[in-house]
Amino acid sequence: MSINFIDLKAQYRHLKADIDARIQGVLDHGQYIMGPEVAELEGELARLVGVKHAIGVSDGTTALQIAMMALGIGPGDEVITTPFTFIATGEMIALLGATPVFVDIDPVSWNMDPALIEAAITPRTRAIVPVSLYGQCADFDAINAVAAKHGLPVIEDAAQSFGATYRGRHSCGVSTIATTSFFPSKPLGCYGDGGACFTDDDELARKMRQIRLHGQDRRYHHPVIGLNGRIDTLQAAILLAKLPTFGDEVAARARIGARYIELLKDVARVPVIAEGNTSVFAQFTIEVDNREAVQAALKEAGVPTAVHYPVPLNLQPAFAHLNQPEGSFPLAEAASRRVMSLPMHPFLDEATQDAIVAAVKRALG
């Protein structure tokens, strides 16, 4: 049995004519940097999410950097976030000279626990950055309430949740700023790096557009220090070709995720989707005992797995100076030892899914 963890080839076969036509359009007009497809994509993304502004950028990590730069975050500042995430979330805080302040997770959703945020706020706190992990939004009503009480902006790290909804609102439309990634394996992915920032705030949008173009407001005039953070026209074109069927893919992910949950709920800790939420299942993640042995058994059976994420940020060598050793965030640390992601993509058929489930049950037996 040979199973793909993510099947980008199947998606390309399904959309080949549209993707090829969009790429050819860019090759024909030759505007590879900030071509017309970039503005077209931004308009489509803003409409889909339901916000005033979408700003296409080079990748999801740079999107976080641009968002924080627009808020003026820098040396001496603190930014509250979760330790159970990809390095980029904490990395961009540190890169700007600020200090990441971690709070533990809610073990049910694996997202930041809103009840722990207020105790972490100090006079140096400048923002809160929740991560919408594995495709489900964090609890933004609770997070935004704490933020509003203290006058703090909220940046949703929606690198894994684009297309999900939170109580009727779209991920990327529930906070001061949101950022997402269009890395190829994401629910909406391009064929290289890509990302976007979202906001309803006109002034923040203006700043973010400036920052992504070396801080310029017009050609060769730079009021602020920025960076080279543009999305390539070719990547924007590929995303435009994928957008018309994105809703169908989101629905397929929800169906496949719900079926996984039903089939595995008696043998493993499966995702819990909060009432009023939908998930895009950027990963389908379960918790198991003896993870290494389970992964080895699944590999032997031809079922690929992955771990998102095996080391929480407080235990990464790059953050050793924060002096938050093992035991500092027990719930995130426990999850990091137990989580395991199974094959997940919108073209996963029931027969293959049944084979994966059967292999998981044997491995856990």
Side-chain angles (χ1 to χ4, degrees), residues 1-10 13 260 302-305 342-345 347-348 352 356:
M1 181 168 58
S2 178
I3 294 172
N4 293 309
F5 189 74
I6 296 169
D7 196 346
L8 297 180
K9 292 181 180 179
R13 288 192 297 269
Y260 259 141
V303 177
T305 60
L342 300 175
M344 182 67 188
H345 57 85
F347 299 93
L348 186 64
T352 305
I356 294 165

Side-chain angles (χ1 to χ4, degrees), residues 46-65:
R47 279 189 287 276
L48 193 157
V49 170
V51 296
K52 290 170 67 175
H53 304 283
I55 299 100
V57 300
S58 56
D59 56 83
T61 302
T62 301
L64 284 165
Q65 182 180 0

